[in-house]
Amino acid sequence: MTKNEWEQDLEHQELEKKAYHRGYRAGAKAEGEASKRVELLENVLLEFAGHEDEWLQTKSGLLKRERADLVDQIIFQRQLMRELYNHLDDDVRLKLRKKAESHIWPATHSED
């Protein structure tokens, strides 16, 4: 092996090493983000399912979260509420709709 081939081989090995470390770090970062998202969804589902107060989100706990996580949580909770609403009977839906509208437009709705 000539000196030039040896230097090229060494340079190639260094490039492969750097590429491996870039991929490893990106994979580790993606894994951390994925596990964080799974934990967030688990907490939202446990809170939603009516588990004990220990699963309820506290104000200080919510303030520690990033804005994007909070937006994801709100959207997920809205989807869950919509799913429940769609499974209700028509008369229960009507009562809930009237109650919501009475809070939004109290002057136009008389109390039943």
Side-chain angles (χ1 to χ4, degrees), residues 8-112:
Q8 286 178 348
D9 188 44
L10 183 63
E11 183 178 317
H12 181 69
Q13 287 177 358
E14 284 296 319
L15 289 173
E16 284 183 347
K17 182 180 173 184
K18 288 179 182 179
Y20 171 80
H21 286 296
R22 273 195 315 271
Y24 177 80
R25 277 184 284 225
K29 181 180 177 185
E31 179 188 12
E33 290 173 358
S35 64
K36 184 178 176 184
R37 179 152 174 79
V38 166
E39 183 182 339
L40 172 70
L41 291 176
E42 285 176 352
N43 287 343
V44 169
L45 287 172
L46 289 170
E47 178 182 343
F48 183 77
H51 280 266
E52 300 297 323
D53 287 344
E54 65 193 45
W55 293 106
L56 294 177
Q57 299 288 317
T58 62
K59 185 175 182 177
S60 62
L62 292 171
L63 288 172
K64 291 178 186 176
R65 299 210 172 187
E66 293 182 13
R67 188 175 191 169
D69 291 337
L70 292 171
V71 170
D72 288 342
Q73 181 176 349
I74 290 168
I75 290 171
F76 190 66
Q77 286 174 339
R78 285 180 180 173
Q79 289 170 345
L80 289 170
M81 289 189 325
R82 176 56 70 185
E83 186 71 25
L84 280 178
Y85 181 79
N86 288 335
H87 288 301
L88 295 174
D89 295 332
D90 289 338
D91 58 332
V92 176
R93 280 190 200 179
L94 184 60
K95 287 179 185 177
L96 283 174
R97 178 174 283 182
K98 285 183 178 181
K99 186 173 184 177
E101 289 174 352
S102 70
H103 288 288
I104 296 170
W105 303 298
T108 60
H109 286 70
S110 61
E111 296 201 21
D112 295 326

